């Protein structure tokens, strides 16, 4: 569908039709399934969502990091139509289909590193994480899994246990997944070790993490370290420079597999194909989902041939994993990223956003930190720049003010005080600027109402 790439409000947001659907939703879908904006979308294209009331909203959330190539990209739609017209499913464990193969070949050559790779396909990020851990445990014959503060790895039992934040992800859901260990993450703005410079933060956190692995977990029991190159749900925390390379180096020395969870950072979001490339690390396994198939559900684990091949035949899989329609969409997505130069665009969009957000930070004391890489940018809101007390309510109000004005932005952060932008990488520069104008105005309203320190 051709939808003009513009913001245009014809009713208040949410409008009467969205409100009516919300009423139906309340009595048919459990409240546990949360939503950011009380808006129902009827059609979308590129970076614009058309809601059921006819409003056109600027999408700076990409349906939670899924639409790097934009919504309903014509080449993705065409690939899906074409594939669905041939066959919709075979199940790779019954008879096989070529799109699965073609995508595996493509991902094998795309991930960092020189050696041979293998790819298995699944349905979601959580399922990809679960499989990466299964494979790492099988290959190493070790069971411990190391994860970090602020991590999000999914909502299934194991992935949920690997996820840091208790509320809302783990609260009330007892876990039986054993041998998961959490270590501090080098978060420069709030260094858990009290480091006052990024270098000191990286150094102290890495030293602590390594000592923990050495003394308390035991490197000979650790199958893998799983880490997001930039914490996504955890608040777009870019690790202090040098932290991840030191962890990766330790892993290599102790034969611990390094697993990059690229579910949110992958497929060009940070201006490189994979976020881990910024760290100069070659991961043993790479986990992908979200933007991989342009909106169709698909996840992947791509890794070292020896590691991936270690599992016996029949040890890996699932009914829908690598559905041919989703694979066709993914092949189209990867081609679009190249053809439209979206890595370059991610950097450009990110530069525009970061410089505007930095100006806002200079104007509004509530903006404590501006950070990100490529088109993965966020502001962390604080009640007071000195105490850095998280401004959670203000973040909620900011998001609400934005959608009321027709711009969708997302919340993140362990303290719920981070507002993040994940625009489609193909977004018009004018549209991102307009989205930022709205954000700035919203910030002014929120700041006005922020508590004034005595
Ligand atoms: N790993 C790094 O960001 C999903 C989920 C939304 P699934 N993040 C947003 C929500 O509130 O559930 C995510 C991620 C990273 C894994 C996952 C899990 O991916 O496809 O949602 O299972």
């Amino acid at each position: 569908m051709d939808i003009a790439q513009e913001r245009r409000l014809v009713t208040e947001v949410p409008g009467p039709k969205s409100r009516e659907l919300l009423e139906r939703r309340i009595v048919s879908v459990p409240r546990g399934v949360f939503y950011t904006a009380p808006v129902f979308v009827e059609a979308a294209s590129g970076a614009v969502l058309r809601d059921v009331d006819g409003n056109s909203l600027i999408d700076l959330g990409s349906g939670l990091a899924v639409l790097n190539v934009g919504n309903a990209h014509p080449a993705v739609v065409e690939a899906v139509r074409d594939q669905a017209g041939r066959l919709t499913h075979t199940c790779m464990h019954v008879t096989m289909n070529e799109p699965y193969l073609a995508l595996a070949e493509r991902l094998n050559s795309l991930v960092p590193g020189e050696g041979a790779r293998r790819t298995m396909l699944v349905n979601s990020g959580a399922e990809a994480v679960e499989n990466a851990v299964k494979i790492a445990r099988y290959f190493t014959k070790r069971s411990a899994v190391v994860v970090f503060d602020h991590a999000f790895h999914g909502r299934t039992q194991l992935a949920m246990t690997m996820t840091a934040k208790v509320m809302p992800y783990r609260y009330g859901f007892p876990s039986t997944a054993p041998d998961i260990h959490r270590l501090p993450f080098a978060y420069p703005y709030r260094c858990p070790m009290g480091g006052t410079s990024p270098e000191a933060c990286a150094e102290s956190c890495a030293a602590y993490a390594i000592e923990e692995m050495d003394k308390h977990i035991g490197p000979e029991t650790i199958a893998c370290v799983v880490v997001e190159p930039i914490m996504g749900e955890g608040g777009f925390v870019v690790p202090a420079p040098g932290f991840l390379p030191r962890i990766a180096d330790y892993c290599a020395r102790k034969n611990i597999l390094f697993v990059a969870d690229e579910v949110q950072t992958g497929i060009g979001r940070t201006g490189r194909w994979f976020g881990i490339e910024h760290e100069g690390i070659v991961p043993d396994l790479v986990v992908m989902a979200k933007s991989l198939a342009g909106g169709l559900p698909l996840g992947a684990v791509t890794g070292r041939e020896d590691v991936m091949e270690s599992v016996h035949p029949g040890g890996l899989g699932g009914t829908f994993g690598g559905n041919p329609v989703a694979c066709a969409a993914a092949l189209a997505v990867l081609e679009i990223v190249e053809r439209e130069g979206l890595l370059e665009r991610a950097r450009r969009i990110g530069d525009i956003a970061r410089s505007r957000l930095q100006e806002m930070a200079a104007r509004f004391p509530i903006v404590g930190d501006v950070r990100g890489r490529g088109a993965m940018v966020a502001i962390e809101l604080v009640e007071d720049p000195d105490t850095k007390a998280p401004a959670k309510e203000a973040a909620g109000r900011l998001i609400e003010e934005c959608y009321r004005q027709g711009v969708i932005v997302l919340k993140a952060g362990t303290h719920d005080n981070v507002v993040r932008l994940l625009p489609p990488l193909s977004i018009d520069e004018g549209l991102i600027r307009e989205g930022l104008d709205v954000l700035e105005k919203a910030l002014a309203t929120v700041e006005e109402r922020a508590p004034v320190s005595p």
Side-chain angles (χ1 to χ4, degrees), residues 34 64 124-126 129 152-155 169 228 233 261 263-264 290:
F34 83 114
L64 247 169
S124 68
V129 166
F152 185 99
H153 295 295
R155 290 177 182 266
Y169 305 124
E228 296 160 76
E233 301 305 303
D261 180 343
V263 169
Q264 194 151 162
K290 289 199 189 278

Side-chain angles (χ1 to χ4, degrees), residues 18-48:
S18 269
R19 289 204 300 270
E20 218 178 286
L21 291 172
L22 190 61
E23 295 283 301
R24 278 171 54 196
R25 188 215 127 112
I26 288 167
V27 295
S28 57
V29 179
R31 62 186 183 153
V33 182
F34 83 114
Y35 56 86
T36 300
V39 169
F40 285 79
V41 174
E42 191 170 68
S45 117
V48 170

Side-chain angles (χ1 to χ4, degrees), residues 5 44-49 57-73 267-269 291 336-337 340 342-350 353 374-377 407-410 421-429 431-432:
Q5 296 297 292
S45 117
V48 170
L49 305 167
L57 316 174
I58 302 177
D59 181 10
L60 301 186
S62 290
L64 247 169
V66 171
L67 302 164
N68 287 3
V69 301
N71 214 317
H73 190 292
I267 324 297
R269 172 54 55 189
S291 274
I336 295 163
V337 172
E340 297 184 4
L342 293 186
L343 303 185
E344 179 57 42
R345 279 198 59 80
R347 295 192 282 267
R348 170 97 190 116
I349 299 297
M376 185 168 185
V377 274
V407 177
I408 302 294
V409 295
L410 302 175
L421 309 182
L422 289 153
L425 309 179
S426 52
I427 190 171
D428 291 346
E429 287 185 17
L431 214 54
I432 180 94

Side-chain angles (χ1 to χ4, degrees), residues 23 29 80 85-86 117 135 140 158 206 231 237 296 299 314 326 332 347 372 446:
E23 295 283 301
V29 179
V80 165
R86 290 162 200 275
R117 296 288 188 275
I135 296 165
T140 59
L158 173 62
M231 291 298 173
V237 181
L296 276 83
R347 295 192 282 267
V446 165

Side-chain angles (χ1 to χ4, degrees), residues 159-233:
M160 173 193 79
T161 312
M162 292 165 65
T163 292
K165 196 169 160 183
V166 62
M167 197 61 176
Y169 305 124
R170 290 189 286 104
Y171 178 83
F173 307 127
S175 171
T176 48
D179 225 356
I180 311 288
H181 305 265
R182 190 172 310 286
L183 297 178
F185 191 72
Y187 183 169
Y189 184 64
R190 295 179 188 275
C191 179
M193 307 302 294
T196 49
S197 67
E199 294 71 27
C201 178
E203 177 58 36
S204 55
C205 290
Y208 182 90
I210 288 168
E211 179 151 325
E212 239 350 71
M213 289 192 270
D214 260 341
K215 301 259 161 60
H216 294 141
I217 311 172
E220 63 291 337
T221 73
I222 306 175
C224 58
V225 165
V226 183
V227 66
E228 296 160 76
I230 298 174
M231 291 298 173
E233 301 305 303

Side-chain angles (χ1 to χ4, degrees), residues 46-293:
V48 170
L49 305 167
R50 168 83 52 81
D51 77 7
V52 287
D53 293 286
N55 299 300
S56 290
L57 316 174
I58 302 177
D59 181 10
L60 301 186
S62 290
L64 247 169
V66 171
L67 302 164
N68 287 3
V69 301
N71 214 317
H73 190 292
V76 173
V77 174
E78 185 50 38
V80 165
R81 263 206 196 104
D82 180 65
Q83 183 56 46
R86 290 162 200 275
L87 59 90
T88 50
H89 175 76
T90 67
C91 182
M92 279 301 271
H93 311 312
V94 182
T95 57
M96 294 168 281
N97 61 78
E98 200 194 343
Y100 189 121
L101 279 193
L103 182 59
E105 289 163 355
R106 189 80 175 85
L107 293 176
N108 292 343
S109 61
L110 208 56
V111 296
E114 297 301 321
R117 296 288 188 275
R118 297 280 189 272
T119 291
M120 76 167 290
L121 300 173
V122 293
N123 304 295
S124 68
E127 200 187 350
V129 166
E130 299 257 348
N131 277 282
V133 172
K134 275 172 72 172
I135 296 165
R137 282 176 163 164
Y138 197 106
F139 176 76
T140 59
K141 302 188 176 62
R142 302 170 177 180
S143 77
V145 174
V146 168
V147 291
F148 292 90
D149 285 351
H150 313 289
F152 185 99
H153 295 295
R155 290 177 182 266
T156 50
Q157 270 284 319
L158 173 62
M160 173 193 79
T161 312
M162 292 165 65
T163 292
K165 196 169 160 183
V166 62
M167 197 61 176
Y169 305 124
R170 290 189 286 104
Y171 178 83
F173 307 127
S175 171
T176 48
D179 225 356
I180 311 288
H181 305 265
R182 190 172 310 286
L183 297 178
F185 191 72
Y187 183 169
Y189 184 64
R190 295 179 188 275
C191 179
M193 307 302 294
T196 49
S197 67
E199 294 71 27
C201 178
E203 177 58 36
S204 55
C205 290
Y208 182 90
I210 288 168
E211 179 151 325
E212 239 350 71
M213 289 192 270
D214 260 341
K215 301 259 161 60
H216 294 141
I217 311 172
E220 63 291 337
T221 73
I222 306 175
C224 58
V225 165
V226 183
V227 66
E228 296 160 76
I230 298 174
M231 291 298 173
E233 301 305 303
F236 282 19
V237 181
V238 181
F243 174 71
L244 287 183
R246 278 200 60 187
I247 301 289
D249 175 64
Y250 178 82
C251 288
R253 284 189 284 113
K254 303 291 178 181
N255 296 316
I256 297 166
L257 298 180
F258 187 98
V259 182
D261 180 343
E262 296 272 2
V263 169
Q264 194 151 162
T265 48
I267 324 297
R269 172 54 55 189
T270 67
R272 312 282 290 264
W273 277 106
F274 298 100
I276 201 69
E277 293 173 47
H278 295 275
E279 303 285 348
I281 294 169
V282 174
D284 299 299
L285 299 174
V286 177
V287 172
M288 294 162 254
K290 289 199 189 278
S291 274
L292 177 59

